[in-house]
Amino acid sequence: MVAADDPESFFATAPPLGDADAVAARLRDFIARNSQSSADGDRRIVCVTSGGTTVPLEQRCVRYIDNFSSGHRGAASTEYFLKAGYAVIFVHRRGSCQPYCRFLPDNSFLKFFDVDAESKVQVAESHATMVMNAIGDYCKAIDGDSLLKLPFTTIFEYLQLLKIVATSISSVGPRGMFYLAAAVSDFYVPWDSMSKHKIQSAGGPLDMRLSQVPKMLSLLRNQWAPLAFCISFKLETDSDILIQKADMALNKYKMNAVVANLLATYKEEVIIVTNKERSTIRKINRDEDLEEQMIKILSHNHLKYICGNTDGCNQSPD
Amino acid sequence: MVAADDPESFFATAPPLGDADAVAARLRDFIARNSQSSADGDRRIVCVTSGGTTVPLEQRCVRYIDNFSSGHRGAASTEYFLKAGYAVIFVHRRGSCQPYCRFLPDNSFLKFFDVDAESKVQVAESHATMVMNAIGDYCKAIDGDSLLKLPFTTIFEYLQLLKIVATSISSVGPRGMFYLAAAVSDFYVPWDSMSKHKIQSAGGPLDMRLSQVPKMLSLLRNQWAPLAFCISFKLETDSDILIQKADMALNKYKMNAVVANLLATYKEEVIIVTNKERSTIRKINRDEDLEEQMIKILSHNHLKYICGNTDGCNQSPD
């Protein structure tokens, strides 16, 4: 019997993705349309993963374990990757923050609108510019066919989706990038061991044994997309172990870069760790997006990587 | 040492609600403003609870257990309670479905807008009427001071909030109602036993022992708001035990009504169980809200209850 934390065993027992073939076909087409050479050189393609995965605790799922993750980082990063000329495959948690909708207020959606003198509904003056810019950028991405959005909810859906996307992206070699910002569950309940019905609460304390989710980064790096530029994320709560964990991920999984951040300060500061250096990036002013600096650096590193991997490199890192 | 599932022990060890006093003051004022007699009789006040509670697994919370619950039932019910003349205290999960925002599309927010010939942002024709009605109703509720919204996220926040609200509502006796649609966690990790930092995944399988959340319905019924009309909810995945669980809740906790539903069909069908009868309510057509029928029945039952509890009853059940 295969060890519980073996990737093969995970995929063999996971409830299959309903629309795997359709998704694979959409990906093939998307990548093909974004692989036609142009005057600017070949378009780069990034898979941005965003939001948290859930771990169902019952097959007829009422309860599940979730990860604190709004998806804001992934959504904002997607906007800057698109601006930098990438085609983006946005693998995101259903319902999480979306690119170009980051201004959407949680509770006060209705304050967004005014009813004017003729009883016509309008966007309130104060919000109009922001909304208009967002619509403009969003339409550009859709018209330019540079944004493909694929949703997931559970850890089972996420890892199967990641595998399909990676296998598709491998066809573009070093032009492909993975920006793995999703908060992926470390522990899960294998489908076979899961309670079929809602766990009843009359029976005293509840003991749960959660298996480790197999580490997929090695599979991604070695098998699925061996030439891609891979960026993983590390979020910790304890500053004493952050850099050590980031270095470990870099070396153990042969990542090209690791974005390291602390729960307490992730909105204001990240550290980008590569084999060559550690760059601390901080917000300079309140309205700035940290992701703007981050994507500038990572895009630059990706271009250097592509040149290092391609004869007669036709893309300037600047 | 007090048993782990004792309510006293739960409240003693829970991290305290930061703004408990401010919330209590807002409630007192809200209830006072809604307790001035009018030609229609004294206004009834309902506490609607909505959305799921979370169970943090670490003190610096990265992972938590959540309940599948959009909050749509609670949000829709709030709209119909307001229509029926109630003042509503909407105790809801942060980020969950809000009254009058139920039409808000998840992913396609930007499809909501058009940019017109003069580059002005407008709500798309197709959505304008819906938005306008929603704004109208929302403004009425705000102007009429009949809607108070109080958010929670964790099981600790929720139960402390419920206690404060119940204690305030008890001042209006039988005019008060509880409509407990929130999906409340049955199991939790007591704050003291909780890991301080993010649980590390290098150490093999994870064993968790979760304590039972103390049943608060008895406290609500017997101590906090003894005269209120109380409606609890039962959601099950197994139809064989649904009615039995509903009857048990009715009798054990002396609820005035239990709304019973199955995970597979809760959007189309509920059963309202009282001491006297079981009424199955089904959607008649696709565009209908089940909550419209539900609130009609429950409001009627509440009026009969008030008359049964008040001399010289001045409110007609019809």
Side-chain angles (χ1 to χ4, degrees):
Chain A
M1 180 175 144
V2 189
D5 64 350
D6 175 80
E8 227 178 79
S9 154
F10 178 92
F11 285 114
T13 57
L17 254 190
D19 56 349
D21 292 339
V23 169
R26 285 176 70 197
L27 275 159
R28 269 194 310 270
D29 292 344
F30 182 76
I31 290 170
R33 289 194 304 269
N34 279 290
S35 291
Q36 291 147 8
S37 288
S38 70
D40 301 323
D42 295 333
R43 200 172 222 176
R44 291 171 292 166
I45 301 179
V46 61
C47 168
V48 173
T49 67
S50 186
T53 61
T54 68
V55 169
L57 297 177
E58 298 126 343
Q59 287 192 3
R60 266 160 235 197
C61 183
V62 178
R63 299 178 188 89
Y64 54 92
I65 301 179
D66 207 346
N67 284 316
F68 164 77
S69 177
S70 64
H72 188 276
R73 176 134 292 155
S77 301
T78 293
E79 294 179 32
Y80 290 104
F81 275 121
L82 285 164
K83 211 170 189 171
Y86 279 82
V88 181
I89 299 164
F90 184 57
V91 175
H92 66 282
R93 165 70 175 276
R94 267 184 199 86
S96 67
C97 201
Q98 295 296 300
Y100 307 119
C101 290
R102 291 189 284 137
F103 53 75
L104 186 63
D106 264 338
N107 262 352
S108 45
F109 175 70
L110 291 169
K111 295 188 191 152
F112 228 56
F113 300 106
D114 284 336
V115 179
D116 74 4
E118 285 113 50
S119 290
K120 216 168 81 177
V121 178
Q122 294 191 38
V123 173
E125 264 319 305
S126 48
H127 289 100
T129 313
M130 186 167 42
V131 173
M132 195 149 66
N133 290 341
I135 295 174
D137 290 337
Y138 178 70
C139 290
K140 244 195 312 193
I142 297 301
D143 294 341
D145 199 17
S146 47
L147 175 63
L148 175 65
K149 303 206 287 185
L150 300 173
F152 64 84
T153 302
T154 70
I155 180 70
F156 302 112
E157 290 173 333
Y158 172 77
L159 288 176
Q160 290 175 89
L161 201 48
L162 184 64
K163 183 178 179 183
I164 294 175
V165 173
T167 314
S168 301
I169 281 192
S170 70
S171 63
V172 305
R175 271 198 299 126
M177 177 199 264
F178 287 87
Y179 184 88
L180 305 168
V184 183
S185 317
D186 292 318
F187 300 103
Y188 80 116
V189 179
W191 193 255
D192 298 345
S193 352
M194 218 188 277
S195 166
K196 279 187 176 35
H197 278 289
K198 182 185 174 200
I199 300 165
Q200 295 301 308
S201 56
L206 178 65
D207 284 314
M208 285 202 303
R209 162 158 284 205
L210 302 172
S211 306
Q212 274 180 290
V213 171
K215 298 298 178 196
M216 299 294 178
L217 289 186
S218 303
L219 271 184
L220 175 65
R221 159 54 77 225
N222 299 324
Q223 277 190 40
W224 299 345
L227 293 175
F229 187 87
C230 293
I231 303 157
S232 66
F233 275 66
K234 263 278 161 241
L235 177 93
E236 296 295 334
T237 52
D238 182 353
S239 55
D240 287 346
I241 63 171
L242 181 63
I243 293 299
Q244 165 199 334
K245 300 292 299 285
D247 281 338
M248 206 171 72
L250 201 66
N251 297 316
K252 185 173 182 190
Y253 304 115
K254 308 279 182 284
M255 293 288 103
N256 299 96
V258 175
V259 176
N261 46 193
L262 283 174
L263 181 61
T265 54
Y266 76 96
K267 293 191 199 186
E268 275 83 47
E269 180 175 316
V270 302
I271 305 171
I272 298 184
V273 181
T274 67
N275 274 331
K276 303 212 165 92
E277 57 190 354
R278 281 179 206 157
S279 321
T280 300
I281 303 176
R282 283 186 195 92
K283 267 201 190 189
I284 301 167
N285 63 59
R286 230 193 119 185
D287 293 327
E288 178 195 337
D289 286 323
L290 210 51
E291 291 80 9
E292 184 164 15
Q293 293 186 59
M294 289 168 68
I295 272 61
K296 205 165 176 169
I297 291 175
L298 293 167
S299 169
H300 181 90
N301 288 4
H302 187 201
L303 279 172
K304 288 198 298 185
Y305 173 79
I306 292 171
C307 280
N309 269 282
T310 321
D311 298 327
C313 180
N314 65 348
Q315 277 171 317
S316 157
D318 301 299
Chain B
M1 180 176 144
V2 189
D5 65 351
D6 174 78
E8 227 175 81
S9 153
F10 178 93
F11 286 114
T13 57
L17 254 189
D19 56 349
D21 292 339
V23 169
R26 286 175 70 196
L27 275 159
R28 269 195 309 272
D29 292 345
F30 181 77
I31 290 170
R33 290 194 302 271
N34 279 290
S35 292
Q36 291 147 7
S37 288
S38 71
D40 302 322
D42 295 334
R43 200 172 222 175
R44 291 171 292 167
I45 302 179
V46 61
C47 168
V48 173
T49 66
S50 187
T53 60
T54 68
V55 168
L57 297 177
E58 298 126 344
Q59 284 191 3
R60 267 160 234 197
C61 184
V62 177
R63 298 177 189 89
Y64 54 92
I65 300 179
D66 207 346
N67 283 316
F68 163 77
S69 177
S70 64
H72 187 277
R73 176 135 291 155
S77 301
T78 293
E79 293 178 32
Y80 290 104
F81 275 121
L82 286 164
K83 212 169 186 171
Y86 279 81
V88 181
I89 299 164
F90 184 57
V91 175
H92 66 283
R93 165 70 175 277
R94 269 183 196 85
S96 67
C97 201
Q98 295 297 299
Y100 307 119
C101 290
R102 290 188 288 139
F103 53 75
L104 188 62
D106 264 337
N107 263 352
S108 44
F109 175 69
L110 291 169
K111 295 189 190 151
F112 226 59
F113 300 105
D114 282 335
V115 179
D116 74 6
E118 286 115 51
S119 292
K120 215 168 82 175
V121 178
Q122 294 189 38
V123 173
E125 264 318 306
S126 48
H127 289 100
T129 312
M130 184 166 46
V131 173
M132 197 150 64
N133 290 341
I135 295 175
D137 290 338
Y138 178 71
C139 291
K140 244 196 312 196
I142 296 303
D143 294 342
D145 198 16
S146 48
L147 176 62
L148 175 65
K149 303 205 289 186
L150 300 172
F152 64 84
T153 302
T154 71
I155 181 70
F156 302 112
E157 291 173 331
Y158 172 76
L159 289 176
Q160 290 175 87
L161 200 48
L162 184 64
K163 182 177 180 184
I164 295 175
V165 173
T167 314
S168 300
I169 281 192
S170 70
S171 62
V172 306
R175 268 197 301 126
M177 177 199 263
F178 287 88
Y179 183 87
L180 305 168
V184 183
S185 317
D186 291 318
F187 300 102
Y188 80 117
V189 179
W191 192 254
D192 299 345
S193 351
M194 215 187 281
S195 166
K196 281 191 174 34
H197 278 292
K198 181 184 174 199
I199 300 164
Q200 296 299 309
S201 56
L206 179 65
D207 285 315
M208 283 203 301
R209 162 158 285 206
L210 302 171
S211 306
Q212 276 182 290
V213 171
K215 298 300 178 195
M216 299 296 179
L217 288 187
S218 304
L219 270 185
L220 176 64
R221 160 54 75 226
N222 299 324
Q223 276 190 39
W224 299 345
L227 294 176
F229 187 86
C230 293
I231 303 157
S232 67
F233 275 65
K234 261 283 160 239
L235 178 93
E236 296 295 332
T237 53
D238 182 354
S239 56
D240 287 346
I241 61 169
L242 181 62
I243 294 298
Q244 166 200 333
K245 298 293 298 283
D247 281 339
M248 205 172 73
L250 201 65
N251 297 316
K252 184 174 182 188
Y253 304 114
K254 308 279 181 284
M255 294 289 103
N256 299 97
V258 175
V259 176
N261 46 193
L262 284 174
L263 181 60
T265 55
Y266 76 97
K267 292 190 200 186
E268 276 84 47
E269 180 175 315
V270 303
I271 305 171
I272 298 184
V273 181
T274 67
N275 274 330
K276 305 213 163 93
E277 57 191 352
R278 280 177 207 160
S279 320
T280 300
I281 304 178
R282 284 186 195 95
K283 265 198 189 191
I284 300 166
N285 63 60
R286 229 197 119 183
D287 293 328
E288 178 196 337
D289 285 324
L290 211 51
E291 291 80 9
E292 186 166 12
Q293 294 185 58
M294 289 169 68
I295 273 61
K296 206 165 175 167
I297 292 175
L298 293 167
S299 170
H300 180 93
N301 287 4
H302 186 201
L303 278 173
K304 289 199 297 186
Y305 172 79
I306 291 172
C307 281
N309 269 284
T310 320
D311 297 328
C313 178
N314 66 348
Q315 277 173 318
S316 158
D318 302 299

